């Protein structure tokens, strides 16, 4: 066996050990080393050279990146998630003909969809969705994300929040928490536009909080400009409608007239 | 591993890797992205900011790679500027020799960028514009590569464009054939280097390189030096050539003829002044040689002294050295050539001996024109003058003295001045020819001021651009008169004679006339000042402009406007300030002058900026005169590329505004003059039947200018046009304006006895100052008919004149490889075209008489003389007997030419021409020299003056073209002065053998 590959496998084993120990710091360090080592293999994307151990190497590399994605969820690092996911993706899309299907593929794709939903990147969400086969859509992990998106779009926020209980994979919990916050922000934004003020009770209900306390904390953190007076929540955002722009009619008339004059003079 | 290599479908993974904190991963990603950028640039383009930030990260060690990647992405996005700046950042990673679209495009961009930066730096005259050293390095790498690969022309082009004269020199010197490269270089710097200043620098360099060569091409060097206005250099070359062998002396003469062809009077005078005094025989050294009259300033003489040292030394050593004698003799000849006298005299002889003008046309015109219509009457006189320009043949005038005497006032002025056109170039006898009309000193003159003024103008025309001999006389005449008509004539004459000499004294005298604020004299003074200062870009233009603002007379303003325009002739961008000032003026007449300034400053450069400006004025100015002139001016700017003009003005020629149409017609006429260009004719054809009379006039004149010397065999439309002219002239109901146009057009069509064409470029492709100035002033005839005569300045004889060492014309044969009929003279009009039934028999008679005359010469001659003397006034009687003698000469020459003319057998595919021969411009490419001929041309030019080297000097030479038009003074236009006693004797000497008055036989 190729010494490089052996070394890689050993390092990966250490990584997996640390991973099961939940020693995420060691994991991150090892992961960086692993990635650097991976750049040395010609068989990996984007080169895809046909070397002797190509399948083996591809499989390990895919495994490493899958772990990397899960790790990023564990350490709650969305940027790392995105990076690792994109580096993983060629293994799913371009190498699928040469590698056996990975059991982790659909959960990770589902996770990615969820991430896009959380970050409110609906366009990219749908792009990703279009790339999936119809059989993949049947997968519970994917289906979960798709249903969430539908509820989100419909405004059935309660269904979104209740879906937390039925996650298909443990890694999903992190994103579901984030999603609740996204939903709340959305509601807050709408209410701000819709109402001048609300009673505390209504507001608590509206924002899907279980107690007034949570509401107050939320206000303090996210919307310090809101005021609470006499048991009412007052939205103080500037409501004066932006005056619609005036049409520069005089200028336009002048211009048109001068064109007409010029036209007369031309040839 | 049987599966084919898989392609990656997205660059997303690699892009994500760019965000990794580890720099090794970034490097990996960049390297791979750089390889795949051709496929994934759309994806990468969204991540460009990330890569840019990598480039800007000082600590990142792969910055150049990042820059290269960004550059490629920008290239694909079409953002070449950004692409270039990042490519520069990529440093050595940007590979100049790589053969890819990316590299090619960016190199082109880099060159453009560099060239524009260098140009900007040069134009602002500061070093403030910092050129990126990396950019410079790339361009230098490119140039180096071109030179190494042997693509010298590319290298030269780039070096010129980028203003890298050092590289240019290197490219020329390292090229395989330095002479060819040099001439190539000269050619492109003429046509593609738009800025005058820079062109001068290039020429300086070319001269330098030329001189380093073991066998320099003196012809080219002298052309360059002329452009650079360095008479000293030319004089030195002449001196060296004259001192060596006979062949070199021939070369010197050839160079001199070529220089004369460019018509830079002031320059030529300077060269003459710098040549040593020919009187080398006199042993005493001529220290302070007052060389050319009193006009040579003393500092010139002192400059001369180092040069004259040579001859002086040797002259002292051996007083009677035969070498010195030959040298002196050659020097005298050379000076003769340089002064223009030799070429003018030869031209005169040629035009006289080959004159083929058709008097019948004139006669038809004369008879169809109403006597009372003075416009057409004087147009006929103009047409006659143009037809016979330079031929010294004034038969028509002499035959029609009565008719002529109807010209009064300004028409008389024109009639007298017309003699100047006819005798153009008759330098020796010009003064005596005009003597009867000139103002008599001491107040004895009974002549009218009109004919006196006309005579002065005529003198100017005779001596145009060679006025050394006549200047003083004209100055005296100007000083001695207070009559504004005479002042008018004297000013024009002086301006013509002293064209471009920038003589301050003359300028002041003309200025005095201007300040009298008389409209008639002031107008001429304005033009004359311009003529005097042609192309000097003098400070005095400001003075003239100030006066133009001050005066009330439109005529003066117009004269001054044109004068100011003339001063900036050929100065290109140097004139921009003045042009700006004039084109922004409130007064439309000055704006009109501004158009001329644009036209003349950028003459023949086809400069885009000038064209754009003119087109803008042509469509946007409120004044019709300005618009007309703006369009017309296009003709001047574009004459070096005549095929462009019809395309550019084609839209304007369909304008609703008749003035614009008129301008378009003349623009085509000017720029395509003498070319017979088919597109030009097609454009003009509809305009000749325009609804507005003056447009027809312009179109007819322009058409004649285009078709001059084109005969029916080469373009059938010429025949149609001739018939159209005749129809217009004969039509009683035609408007006067277009009738006048038709008359003038017939004159121009057969100009100079059918032996001249209108040429704005000399043989060596330089601009002919006189011709351009002539046409510019000619186009003023809209306001002032006498200015029509200026067109004669643009005429240039279409002749091959071979000269031997003695500057004589030996008999020498060469071949024109084309059907003779293509280029022969148009057939003389015969009875068939002559509609008037009354004249039918007479015309037949005249030819039959001539035929008989050939058979039995003497009897017929006598009869002829008797008959004519019976009818004509006694004054002519002696003249016609004089003619009798000449007719047999004519008969001889007719017989010589008869084989070519009266050919019935299938036409030959070639024709043997005998020196001197008429060679029209279109024919030039068919001219071949015979191999076994006795004479070999020094420079194988198909036309013009060519020096011939005699291979058999021992054999006796046979000379042709020896007879010259001797003193044939006449006062044919003598209507003014009536019967002068001298006229009879003067005419008896005249040897002009025109058809002897056929029309009297009917009576």
């Amino acid at each position: 066996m190729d010494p490089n590959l052996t070394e890689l496998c050993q390092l990966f084993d250490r990584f997996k050990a640390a991973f099961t120990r939940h020693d995420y710091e060691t994991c991150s360090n090892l992961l960086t080393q692993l990635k650097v080592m991976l750049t040395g293999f010609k068989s990996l994307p984007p080169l895809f050279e046909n070397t002797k151990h190509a399948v083996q190497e591809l499989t390990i590399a895919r495994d490493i990146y899958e772990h990397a994605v899960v790790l990023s969820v564990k350490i709650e690092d969305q940027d790392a998630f995105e990076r690792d996911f994109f580096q993983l993706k060629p293994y799913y899309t371009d190498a699928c003909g040469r590698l056996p299907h990975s059991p982790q593929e659909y959960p990770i794709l589902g996770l990615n969809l969820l991430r896009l939903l959380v970050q409110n990147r609906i366009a990219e969400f749908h792009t990703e969705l279009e790339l999936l086969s119809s059989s993949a859509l049947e997968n519970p992990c994917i289906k979960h994300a798709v249903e969430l998106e539908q509820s989100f779009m419909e405004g059935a926020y309660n269904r979104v929040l209740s879906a937390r209980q039925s996650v298909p994979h443990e890694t999903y919990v992190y994103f579901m928490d984030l999603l609740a916050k996204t939903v709340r922000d959305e509601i807050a934004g709408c209410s701000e536009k819709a109402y001048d003020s609300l009673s505390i009770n209504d507001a608590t209900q509206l924002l899907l909080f279980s107690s007034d306390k949570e509401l107050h904390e939320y206000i303090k953190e996210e919307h310090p400009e809101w005021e609470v007076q006499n048991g009412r929540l007052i939205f103080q955002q500037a409501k004066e409608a932006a005056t619609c722009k005036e049409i520069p009619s005089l200028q336009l008339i002048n211009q048109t007239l001068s064109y007409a004059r010029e036209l007369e003079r031309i040839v | 591993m049987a599966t084919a290599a898989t392609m990656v479908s997205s660059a997303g993974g690699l892009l994500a890797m760019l965000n990794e904190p580890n720099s090794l991963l970034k490097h990996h990603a960049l390297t791979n992205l750089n390889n795949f950028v051709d496929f994934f640039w759309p994806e990468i383009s969204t991540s460009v900011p990330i890569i840019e930030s990598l480039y800007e990260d000082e600590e990142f060690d792969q910055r150049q790679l990042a820059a290269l990647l960004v550059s490629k992405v920008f290239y694909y996005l079409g953002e070449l500027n950004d692409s270039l700046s990042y490519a520069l950042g990529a440093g050595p990673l940007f590979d100049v020799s790589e053969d890819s679209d990316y590299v090619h495009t960016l190199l082109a961009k880099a060159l453009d960028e560099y060239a524009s930066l260098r140009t900007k730096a040069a134009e602002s005259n500061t070093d403030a514009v910092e050129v990126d050293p990396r950019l410079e390095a790339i361009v230098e790498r490119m140039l180096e590569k071109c030179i190494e690969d042997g693509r010298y022309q590319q290298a030269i082009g780039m070096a010129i464009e980028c203003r890298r004269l050092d590289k240019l020199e290197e490219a020329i010197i390292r090229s395989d054939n330095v002479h060819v490269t040099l001439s190539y270089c000269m050619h492109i710097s003429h046509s593609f280097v738009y800025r005058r200043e820079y062109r001068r620098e290039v020429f300086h360099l070319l001269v330098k390189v030329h001189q380093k060569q073991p066998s320099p091409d003196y012809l080219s060097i002298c052309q360059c030096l002329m452009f650079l206005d360095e008479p000293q250099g030319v004089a030195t070359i002449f001196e060296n050539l004259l001192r060596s062998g006979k062949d070199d002396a021939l070369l010197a003469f050839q160079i001199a003829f070529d220089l004369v062809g460019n018509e830079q009077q002031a320059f030529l005078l300077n060269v003459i002044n710098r040549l040593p005094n020919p009187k080398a025989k006199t042993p005493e050294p001529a220290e302070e040689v007052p060389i050319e009259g009193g006009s040579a300033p003393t500092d010139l003489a002192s400059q001369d002294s180092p040069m004259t040292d040579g001859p002086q030394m040797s002259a002292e050593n051996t007083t009677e050295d035969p070498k010195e004698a030959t040298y002196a003799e050659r020097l005298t000849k050379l000076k003769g050539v340089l002064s223009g006298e030799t070429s003018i005299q030869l031209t005169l002889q040629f035009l006289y001996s080959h004159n083929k003008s058709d008097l019948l046309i004139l006669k038809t015109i004369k008879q169809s024109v109403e006597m009372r219509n003075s416009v057409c009457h004087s147009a006929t006189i103009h047409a006659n003058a143009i037809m016979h320009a330079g031929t010294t043949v004034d038969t028509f005038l002499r035959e029609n003295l009565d008719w002529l005497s109807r010209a009064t006032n300004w028409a008389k002025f024109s009639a007298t001045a017309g003699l100047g056109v006819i005798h153009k170039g008759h330098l020796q006898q010009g003064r005596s020819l005009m003597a009867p009309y000139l103002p008599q000193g001491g107040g004895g003159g009974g002549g009218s001021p009109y004919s006196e003024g006309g005579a002065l103008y005529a003198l100017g025309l005779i001596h145009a651009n060679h006025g050394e001999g006549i200047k003083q006389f004209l100055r005296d005449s100007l000083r001695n008169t207070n009559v504004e008509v005479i002042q008018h004539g004297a000013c024009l004459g002086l301006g013509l004679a002293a064209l471009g000499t920038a003589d301050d004294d003359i300028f002041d005298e003309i200025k005095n006339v201007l300040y009298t604020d008389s409209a008639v004299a002031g107008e001429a003074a304005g033009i004359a000042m311009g003529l005097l200062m042609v192309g000097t870009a003098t400070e005095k233009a400001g003075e003239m402009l100030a006066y133009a603002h001050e005066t009330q007379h439109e005529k003066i303003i117009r004269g001054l406007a044109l004068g100011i325009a003339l001063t900036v002739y050929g100065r290109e961008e140097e004139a921009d300030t003045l042009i700006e000032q004039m084109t922004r003026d409130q007064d439309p007449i000055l704006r009109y002058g501004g158009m001329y300034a644009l036209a003349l400053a950028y003459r023949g450069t086809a400069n885009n900026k000038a064209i754009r400006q003119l087109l803008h004025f042509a469509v946007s100015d409120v004044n019709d005169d300005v618009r007309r002139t703006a369009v017309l001016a296009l003709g001047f700017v574009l004459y070096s590329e005549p095929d462009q003009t019809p395309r550019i003005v084609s839209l304007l020629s369909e304008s609703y505004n008749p003035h614009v149409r008129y301008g378009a017609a003349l623009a085509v006429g000017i720029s395509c003059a003498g070319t017979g260009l088919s597109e030009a004719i097609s454009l003009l054809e509809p305009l000749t039947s325009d609804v507005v009379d003056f447009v027809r006039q312009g179109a007819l004149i322009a058409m004649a200018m285009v078709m001059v010397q084109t005969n029916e065999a080469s373009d059938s439309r010429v025949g149609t046009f001739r018939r159209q002219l005749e129809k217009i002239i004969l039509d009683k109901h035609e408007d006067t304006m277009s009738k006048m146009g038709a008359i003038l057009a017939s004159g121009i069509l057969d100009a100079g006895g059918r032996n001249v064409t209108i040429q704005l470029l000399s043989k060596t492709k330089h601009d002919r100052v006189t011709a351009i100035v002539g046409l510019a002033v000619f186009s003023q005839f809209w306001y002032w008919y006498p200015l029509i005569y200026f067109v004669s300045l643009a005429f240039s004889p279409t002749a091959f004149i071979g000269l031997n060492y003695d500057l004589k014309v030996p008999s020498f044969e060469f071949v024109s490889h084309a059907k003779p009929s293509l280029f022969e003279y148009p057939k003389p009009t015969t009875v068939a075209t002559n509609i008037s039934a009354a004249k039918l028999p007479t015309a037949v008679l005249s030819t039959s008489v001539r035929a008989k005359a050939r058979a039995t010469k003497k009897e017929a001659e006598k009869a002829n003389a008797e008959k004519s003397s019976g009818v004509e006034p006694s004054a002519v009687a002696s003249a016609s007997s004089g003619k009798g003698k000449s007719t047999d000469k004519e008969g001889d020459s007719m017989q010589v030419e008869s084989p070519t003319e009266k050919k019935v057998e299938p036409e030959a595919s070639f024709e043997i021409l005998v020196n001197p021969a008429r060679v029209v411009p279109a024919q030039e490419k068919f001219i071949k020299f015979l191999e076994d001929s006795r004479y070999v041309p020094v420079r194988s030019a198909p036309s013009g003056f060519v020096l011939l080297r005699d291979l058999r000097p021992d054999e006796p030479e046979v000379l042709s073209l020896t007879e010259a038009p001797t003193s044939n003074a006449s006062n044919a236009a003598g209507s003014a002065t009536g019967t002068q006693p001298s006229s009879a004797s003067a005419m008896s000497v005249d040897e002009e053998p025109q058809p002897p008055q056929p029309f009297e036989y009917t009576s």
Side-chain angles (χ1 to χ4, degrees), chain B residues 286-547:
Chain B
E287 189 53 57
E288 295 294 319
V289 215
I291 295 164
E292 197 54 51
S295 63
T298 39
D299 60 332
L300 283 187
S302 58
Q303 272 177 27
D304 280 350
S305 50
M307 222 178 63
T308 43
D309 267 352
Q312 283 161 27
M313 294 302 286
S314 48
E316 277 163 24
N317 291 341
T318 51
T319 346
E320 289 298 318
D321 188 355
K323 265 191 185 167
E324 281 307 312
T326 31
Y327 173 64
E329 178 217 332
R330 286 172 185 175
L331 204 56
T332 320
K333 273 192 224 161
L334 184 73
K335 286 197 174 186
V337 176
L338 281 178
S339 69
E341 281 163 21
T342 317
S343 56
I344 287 175
Q345 200 183 347
L346 287 166
T347 309
L348 199 65
Q349 285 173 5
F350 169 79
L351 289 178
Y352 168 69
S353 61
H354 285 66
N355 175 30
K356 280 278 180 299
S357 60
D358 193 343
L359 280 186
L360 213 53
I361 295 179
L362 273 176
K363 216 144 249 178
T364 322
I365 297 175
K366 191 196 103 186
Q367 258 138 25
S368 59
V369 162
E370 267 185 76
M371 288 297 190
R372 271 165 302 167
N373 189 336
S374 64
V375 172
C376 290
H377 183 264
S378 59
T380 315
I381 297 173
H382 282 129
N384 169 55
I386 292 169
M387 254 189 216
H388 293 103
T391 60
T392 72
V393 176
D394 49 14
T395 330
F396 178 75
L397 296 181
R398 265 185 285 117
E399 282 171 11
N400 298 291
L401 286 173
D402 275 352
W403 172 80
L404 198 59
S405 66
R406 283 174 212 277
T408 51
N409 296 338
W410 283 107
K412 191 184 272 180
F413 178 90
S414 297
T416 321
L419 277 178
V421 176
I422 293 176
H423 292 281
K424 182 164 172 282
H426 211 159
L427 299 189
Q428 287 83 17
Q429 274 127 28
R431 176 97 175 264
S432 55
L433 276 169
M434 299 311 295
Y437 315 109
L438 290 170
Q440 307 295 324
S448 93
Y450 290 102
S451 65
E452 290 178 7
L456 291 172
Y457 179 26
L459 277 182
L461 287 164
I462 292 175
H463 292 265
N465 208 14
H466 297 281
E468 280 308 297
I470 201 76
K471 263 194 316 209
Q472 196 53 43
F473 174 75
L474 286 169
R475 281 171 73 173
D476 293 342
S477 312
L478 182 61
R479 222 176 294 134
N480 293 338
T481 181
N482 290 317
V483 188
E484 58 177 9
V485 181
I486 300 179
Q487 280 176 334
H488 182 92
C491 280
L492 286 179
L494 201 48
L496 279 165
L499 189 79
T501 51
D503 189 323
D504 280 337
D505 299 338
I506 301 182
F507 186 85
D508 286 340
E509 273 172 39
I510 298 179
K511 198 164 71 183
N512 290 338
V513 175
L514 178 71
Y515 285 160
T516 56
D517 206 41
S518 122
V520 173
E523 181 187 33
I527 296 174
M529 287 159 106
L531 291 171
L532 195 61
M533 294 293 175
V534 159
T536 54
T538 162
E539 298 286 308
K540 298 188 168 97
E543 222 173 295
M544 292 161 76
L545 198 57
Y547 190 74

Side-chain angles (χ1 to χ4, degrees), chain B residues 811-825:
Chain B
S811 63
F812 164 68
E813 287 185 345
F814 56 100
V815 184
S816 156
H817 275 288
K819 286 186 190 161
S821 72
L822 270 181
F823 303 114
E824 71 186 6
Y825 291 103

Side-chain angles (χ1 to χ4, degrees), chain A residues 32 35-36 39 45-48 50-52 54-55 65 82-84 86-87 90 93-95 98 264-267, chain B residues 1 3-9 12-14 16-17 19-22 24-25 28 32 36 619-620 622 627 655-656:
Chain A
T32 315
K35 282 185 182 168
V36 174
T39 60
L47 300 173
F48 284 125
N50 268 330
T51 53
K52 232 195 285 175
V55 174
Y65 277 116
E82 188 174 348
R83 273 204 310 271
D84 292 330
F86 275 118
Q87 289 175 54
T93 53
D94 302 330
R98 298 164 60 184
E264 242 170 46
R265 271 201 273 165
I266 292 173
V267 186
Chain B
M1 292 302 126
T3 44
T6 322
M7 254 308 290
V8 70
S9 64
L14 290 167
M17 210 183 266
N19 288 323
E20 293 280 359
N22 191 312
L24 278 176
L25 288 175
H28 174 73
N32 282 308
F36 288 100
V619 297
S620 67
V622 285
R627 296 178 63 170
S655 164
Y656 78 94

Side-chain angles (χ1 to χ4, degrees), chain A residues 89 93 109 112-113 116 122-137 142 146 149:
Chain A
K89 216 176 156 196
T93 53
L109 287 178
N112 184 45
L113 287 174
L116 291 173
I122 304 299
E124 282 168 69
F125 178 90
H126 284 282
T127 319
E128 289 290 326
L129 215 53
E130 290 301 319
L131 291 173
L132 295 175
S133 63
S134 54
S135 64
L137 289 176
I142 309 285
V146 174
E149 194 261 352

